[in-house]
Amino acid sequence: MNTMTDRNIDLFERASQVIPGGVNSPVRAFRAVGGTPRFVQRAQGAYFWDANGQRYIDYIGSWGPMILGHGNPVVLEAVQKAALDGFSFGAPTEREIELAEEILKHVPSMEMVRLVSSGTEAGMSALRLARGATGRSKIIKFEGCYHGHADALLVKAGSGLATFGNPTSAGVPAEVVQHTLVLEYNNLEQLEAAFQLHGKELACLMIEPIAGNMNFVRASVPFMQRCRELCTQYGALLVFDEVMTGFRVALGSAQSIYAQAIQGFKPDLTVLGKVIGGGMPLAAFGGPREIMSKLAPTGPVYQAGTLSGNPVATACGLATLKEIAKPEFWPALSARTLRLVDGLKAAAHKAGVPFSADCQGGMFGFFLLPELPQNYAKVMTSDSGKFNTLFHGLLDRGVYIAPALYEAGFVSAAHTDADIAHTVAAAAEVFAQL
Ligand code: KE4
């Protein structure tokens, strides 16, 4: 929207004077797609309104947390009530127990859970715990997977299997990432070779089971089965980073989907965030009692946090989880996400635009590629120019998708069939331009 008094432009200029890049998280700056970020004034249900009062259908939902939509009345009431009782105590509360019990109820691979304030903190802590529990230093992660910005995880592939990772960020000393091996997602040969070379030194293998940081790439069942078998064989821990997929792709998270395909499948540790906080700063990591009891104060692995288990955040998360545990929730959400994906596919096909898409529960992804990519290198063959045209074409039509082709999309319980229809119609108009 280009009006004489575009407040987004004014706010972005003002923000850029006092906050690096004008944002508190890089992806929000629209660097990948160009243009001016929309400054959100308020949000309700499936929508938010920007600084010009322009309404958008929101398919980011805070990058996953807002699975019920913005301002769900039940959650809002729980948060307001909790706030009246106090913002933060630095002391234990009953609601932390209730939230822990609710999380454990739906993720049977975990017997205990520790609450923290961000996905980065949860992933960093899970990594330290895996190293402390095994007494080993080396880890495997996969190209295209993002596990937050802890130093040891800001790593890109080394030149080969023998060499360990190189930092992806300035300020990360090479020695910090020398224990991190980066493999290609879904590459069985590399996986086997890496375990043969380093298996006995591996503390863990950390993976996004459905890689939402590559937009939407599933780990194949055979690949995931080998990850599990090799970790067991060599005594390394299988760490599922479900910060994005947790309580988003299914009530039992992504691991429940792999457990349907692989008999008795369980990761050793699980990292959670986003949905479990309902939009407030809350994340978690958990696993079997035998591993989790190695955490301070019961064990030698230190981990702590002033605002961990914050009483207002736990109220928000608990109310959210209670709502999504209702039996009718998942069939309705899954059907709506599928309707969006099928509509986009049909519109792209009609316009002759190469397009592939996938979804699970309330999470979806699409690519301007004829087939779904299976790894990061394939994802990055997408035409970013065309994606940017699609992004801005949708934005101009009041549809807000992720401002980067490697990011996933999210549907909430508040998105209506009319919203889906509007989105598909808008996409059809833009596909015609491509
Ligand atoms: P946070 O520290 O941002 O709460 O969580 C880090 C994280 C860990 N693991 C996975 C699988 C994640 O997707 C994330 C964060 N996701 C990004 C979206 N790609 C958050 C958006 C942002 O960085 O602003």
Side-chain angles (χ1 to χ4, degrees):
M1 164 182 204
N2 296 312
T3 64
M4 290 299 284
T5 59
D6 185 331
R7 290 204 68 239
N8 292 310
I9 293 176
D10 300 343
L11 289 171
F12 195 36
E13 281 167 6
R14 200 172 120 213
S16 301
Q17 301 305 312
V18 292
I19 302 170
V23 292
N24 285 307
S25 199
V27 71
R28 304 176 191 174
F30 276 23
R31 291 266 166 137
V33 293
T36 303
R38 299 310 191 255
F39 280 67
V40 179
Q41 286 297 319
R42 69 181 182 90
Q44 183 60 42
Y47 317 116
F48 74 78
W49 286 261
D50 74 5
N52 297 325
Q54 177 70 39
R55 192 194 83 163
Y56 298 87
I57 301 172
D58 181 9
Y59 287 106
I60 296 186
S62 178
W63 301 96
M66 308 319 295
I67 193 166
L68 294 172
H70 296 286
N72 175 280
V74 172
V75 178
L76 183 59
E77 187 188 348
V79 169
Q80 288 170 326
K81 189 169 173 300
L84 290 173
D85 293 341
F87 287 4
S88 183
F89 314 120
T93 62
E94 182 176 1
R95 197 158 45 242
E96 288 161 84
I97 310 169
E98 291 173 315
L99 179 57
E101 289 169 345
E102 188 68 17
I103 291 170
L104 297 178
K105 186 162 73 174
H106 300 300
V107 188
S109 66
M110 305 200 304
E111 293 177 315
M112 299 191 96
V113 65
R114 171 62 59 86
L115 303 179
V116 297
S117 299
S118 76
T120 291
E121 191 181 357
M124 174 183 75
S125 305
L127 174 55
R128 185 181 312 128
L129 176 58
R131 285 170 158 165
T134 60
R136 299 175 180 181
S137 301
K138 301 209 180 315
I139 65 171
I140 284 176
K141 77 172 286 287
F142 296 93
E143 191 174 35
C145 289
Y146 175 66
H147 304 297
H149 60 89
D151 280 358
L153 293 164
L154 288 181
V155 196
K156 60 178 179 278
S159 57
L161 288 190
T163 62
F164 281 80
N166 303 312
T168 55
S169 166
V172 176
E175 53 270 17
V176 166
V177 299
Q178 68 187 12
H179 301 298
T180 307
L181 187 59
V182 182
L183 305 182
E184 184 176 74
Y185 201 77
N186 277 322
N187 186 320
L188 271 169
E189 296 72 43
Q190 278 194 18
L191 185 72
E192 300 283 356
F195 270 90
Q196 266 162 33
L197 270 172
H198 307 292
K200 293 211 177 320
E201 303 164 275
L202 286 172
C204 69
L205 177 153
M206 189 180 272
I207 189 166
E208 286 186 66
I210 298 177
N213 288 287
M214 285 192 262
N215 196 316
F216 194 107
V217 181
R218 295 175 190 267
S220 73
V221 170
F223 181 75
M224 188 56 84
Q225 186 149 8
R226 278 311 275 156
C227 286
R228 177 63 280 173
E229 289 167 352
L230 288 164
C231 281
T232 303
Q233 182 183 340
Y234 286 92
L237 299 184
L238 178 58
V239 181
F240 255 34
D241 181 345
E242 295 224 48
V243 167
M244 195 186 287
T245 54
F247 295 94
R248 175 48 85 164
V249 299
L251 184 58
S253 305
Q255 55 194 271
S256 66
I257 296 165
Y258 285 96
Q260 283 162 5
I262 305 167
Q263 179 65 31
F265 178 86
K266 280 182 182 178
D268 295 307
L269 290 176
T270 298
V271 185
L272 296 168
K274 296 181 192 280
V275 170
I276 65 167
M280 301 287 273
L282 192 149
F285 62 105
R289 194 177 305 281
E290 186 242 338
I291 298 175
M292 294 300 287
S293 55
K294 295 189 185 299
L295 276 174
T298 51
V301 180
Y302 193 69
Q303 187 277 331
T306 303
L307 299 178
S308 296
N310 173 273
V312 182
T314 52
C316 192
L318 185 59
T320 299
L321 294 191
K322 294 276 189 199
E323 286 301 299
I324 70 172
K326 289 177 177 170
E328 72 282 358
F329 181 83
W330 288 95
L333 180 67
S334 304
R336 197 158 303 129
T337 310
L338 195 58
R339 188 171 305 126
L340 171 66
V341 163
D342 287 346
L344 293 173
K345 280 181 185 171
H349 183 71
K350 188 155 177 274
V353 171
F355 188 86
S356 53
D358 194 359
C359 64
Q360 187 77 42
M363 182 171 158
F364 69 92
F366 64 81
F367 304 88
L368 296 177
L369 293 169
E371 275 149 44
L372 283 171
Q374 297 304 311
N375 59 49
Y376 181 71
K378 293 253 179 42
V379 168
M380 298 318 279
T381 62
S382 298
D383 182 326
S384 57
K386 285 194 175 146
F387 174 81
N388 295 353
T389 303
L390 176 62
F391 172 82
H392 283 288
L394 290 173
L395 198 63
D396 292 344
R397 292 167 174 80
V399 176
Y400 190 75
I401 64 168
L405 65 83
Y406 50 80
E407 296 283 3
F410 305 95
V411 174
S412 80
H415 284 78
T416 64
D417 289 347
D419 295 326
I420 304 294
H422 174 88
T423 305
V424 170
E429 287 179 15
V430 185
F431 285 143
Q433 292 168 9
L434 292 180

